[in-house]
């Protein structure tokens, strides 16, 4: 595929992020590789739906929709996929802005017809102005950003990260949409892993599929002050364990935890060593980073155990839907 048409889907849920939403849309509209359209999908918030509809009523390339499924990010993304017209569908978080060549780098990845997904690099914008000294880069996934341990450059991966990712439309035709019951639901417990489950399912449906991350496709993601605290760090790590248990139940522990094993046995021990070395050299935050890594691992493991037990008892379920829609609408 050369020069594919790209639809951009931004899922939104709260008026508290009004300025962030406008900035996200503006960053798409100024891309060096123009998007075919930007779709704003509003998650069960009539006031926000009405406000955005009025804001963009004169802007032909921006369309606003209500989430047609159950509350949550996965159903919102599925709504956007169904309504989109592009050969490629890209996803951007509502509190992030894309660099000018973001879509250009995505598009270049699809020159190879085997490529079914291309993700990018997500850089944190800390509300306090700088990274907390205790916060390890190995855990930047806690705040929705690219973490230390993902190889640099253009690399083949098991899964892309949902807030900065794109998929060929045929990927959804082959594997279905995002699973509901895994991902985020507004301000509730910060679950995730819906893109991991989708990518593994896609690779099973299309064994020849290639999934890439191109670290030149950069977005900048806002990290609110509340997420700079250790309490959120622990909550998010625990939720990740719960989510990983659901993924493992869906696709099996071998695939569901394949990347996590390498991360836990190689990346994290090296991070602890660096933290302790920095502490020995009296560098700020070294001991805190080492301690945070250990705490994060143990908390995520605890969440995984609890999630596994719940899943076995039938207390945690999710569903995969076939994504269909009117692309001429």
């Amino acid at each position: 595929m050369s020069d594919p048409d790209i639809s951009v889907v931004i899922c939104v849920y709260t008026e508290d992020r009004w300025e962030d939403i406008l900035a996200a849309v503006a960053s798409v509209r100024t891309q060096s590789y123009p998007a075919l359209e930007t779709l704003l999908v509003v998650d069960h918030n009539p006031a926000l739906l009405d406000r955005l509809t009025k804001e963009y009523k004169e802007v032909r390339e921006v369309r606003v929709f209500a989430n047609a499924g159950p509350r949550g990010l996965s159903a919102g993304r599925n709504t956007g996929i169904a309504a989109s017209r592009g050969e490629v569908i890209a996803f951007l978080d509502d509190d992030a802005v894309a660099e000018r060549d973001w879509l250009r780098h995505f598009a270049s990845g699809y020159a190879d017809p085997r490529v079914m997904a291309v993700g990018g690099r997500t850089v944190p914008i800390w509300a306090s102005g700088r990274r907390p000294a205790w916060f390890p880069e190995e855990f930047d996934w806690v705040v929705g950003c690219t973490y230390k341990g993902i190889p640099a450059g253009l690399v083949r991966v098991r899964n892309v990260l949902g807030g900065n990712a794109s998929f060929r439309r045929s990927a959804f035709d082959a594997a279905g949409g995002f699973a509901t019951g895994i991902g985020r639901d507004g301000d509730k417990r910060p679950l995730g892993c819906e893109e991991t489950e989708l990518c593994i399912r896609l690779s099973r449906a299309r064994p020849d599929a290639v999934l890439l991350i191109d670290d030149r496709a950069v977005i900048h993601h806002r990290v609110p002050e509340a997420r700079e605290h250790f309490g959120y760090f622990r909550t998010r790590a625990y939720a990740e364990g719960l989510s990983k248990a659901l993924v493992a139940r869906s696709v099996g522990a071998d695939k569901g935890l394949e990347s996590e094993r390498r991360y836990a046995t190689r990346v994290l021990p090296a991070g602890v060593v660096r933290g302790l070395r920095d502490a020995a050299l009296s560098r700020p935050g070294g001991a805190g980073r080492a301690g945070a890594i250990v705490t994060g691992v143990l908390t995520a493991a605890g969440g995984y155990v609890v999630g596994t037990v719940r899943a076995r008892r039938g207390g945690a379920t999710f569903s995969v839907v076939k994504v269909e829609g009117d692309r001429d609408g």
Side-chain angles (χ1 to χ4, degrees):
M1 180 192 299
S2 60
D3 298 331
D5 288 334
I6 303 179
S7 298
V8 177
V9 174
I10 303 174
C11 295
V12 303
Y13 72 97
T14 175
E15 289 183 272
D16 293 342
R17 292 185 177 180
W18 179 256
E19 295 300 327
D20 291 335
I21 295 168
L22 299 186
V25 174
S27 75
V28 175
R29 296 183 66 197
T30 57
Q31 288 291 300
S32 62
Y33 184 102
L36 174 67
E37 60 188 349
T38 300
L39 294 87
L40 290 168
V41 182
V42 183
D43 193 17
H44 297 267
N45 185 332
L48 179 57
L49 177 67
D50 181 64
R51 189 176 179 186
L52 285 170
T53 300
K54 292 175 180 176
E55 178 73 21
Y56 292 107
K57 66 180 180 179
E58 303 296 334
V59 183
R60 187 178 60 180
E61 69 269 23
V62 178
R63 299 194 289 154
V64 182
F65 297 87
N67 180 1
R71 186 183 300 274
L73 181 57
S74 290
R77 286 174 174 165
N78 291 339
T79 297
I81 296 164
S84 65
R85 305 185 183 111
E87 300 163 83
V88 169
I89 300 100
F91 298 93
L92 179 65
D93 276 346
D94 64 344
D95 52 356
V97 292
E99 291 191 359
R100 191 167 185 271
D101 292 329
W102 177 60
L103 291 182
R104 183 174 299 282
H105 293 306
F106 277 175
S108 68
Y110 292 101
D112 183 342
R114 299 174 302 163
V115 173
M116 289 288 113
V118 182
R121 177 162 56 96
T122 302
V123 179
I125 304 173
W126 302 95
S128 62
R130 62 179 180 177
R131 172 187 299 274
W134 62 269
F135 202 114
E137 292 181 42
E138 293 82 359
F139 272 78
D140 276 6
W141 55 263
V142 164
V143 291
C145 295
T146 301
Y147 55 90
K148 191 178 187 67
I150 294 180
L154 180 65
V155 294
R156 190 167 179 172
V157 293
R158 179 196 65 180
N159 64 275
V160 295
L161 304 180
N164 179 11
S166 65
F167 292 84
R168 204 183 289 273
R169 177 176 297 283
S170 56
F172 301 110
D173 295 335
F178 288 92
T180 58
I182 297 182
R184 285 181 180 260
D185 178 0
D187 290 318
K188 295 182 179 180
R189 175 172 284 162
L191 299 173
C193 295
E194 68 278 6
E195 65 274 5
T196 300
E197 193 275 339
L198 170 62
C199 289
I200 295 173
R201 187 163 19 99
L202 171 60
S203 294
R204 287 185 168 179
R206 290 284 304 270
D208 62 331
V210 173
L211 286 69
L212 301 173
I213 285 182
D214 186 340
D215 68 2
R216 299 172 301 169
V218 179
I219 70 169
H220 297 265
H221 184 272
R222 187 178 300 280
V223 180
E225 191 272 339
R227 296 185 183 182
E228 294 186 6
H229 297 289
F230 195 62
Y232 180 82
F233 179 91
R234 289 182 301 176
T235 298
R236 178 68 184 89
Y238 181 75
E240 184 74 2
L242 294 176
S243 301
K244 283 289 189 292
L246 278 175
V247 171
R249 181 172 176 82
S250 169
V251 301
D254 286 346
K255 268 293 183 186
L257 299 176
E258 181 180 39
S259 296
E260 288 73 15
R261 290 191 185 95
R262 290 195 296 270
Y263 170 73
T265 58
R266 299 178 188 178
V267 176
L268 296 185
V272 171
V273 170
R274 277 193 299 273
L276 294 176
R277 181 190 62 201
D278 287 347
L281 295 173
S282 300
R283 293 171 179 167
R289 289 191 296 275
I293 291 173
V294 173
T295 301
V297 170
L298 294 176
T299 304
Y304 182 81
V305 170
V306 171
T308 300
V309 172
R310 288 180 181 174
R312 288 175 178 171
R313 291 176 177 174
T317 61
F318 63 94
S319 59
V320 177
V321 299
K322 187 72 174 176
V323 178
E324 298 176 338
D326 180 8
R327 296 171 191 171
D328 297 322

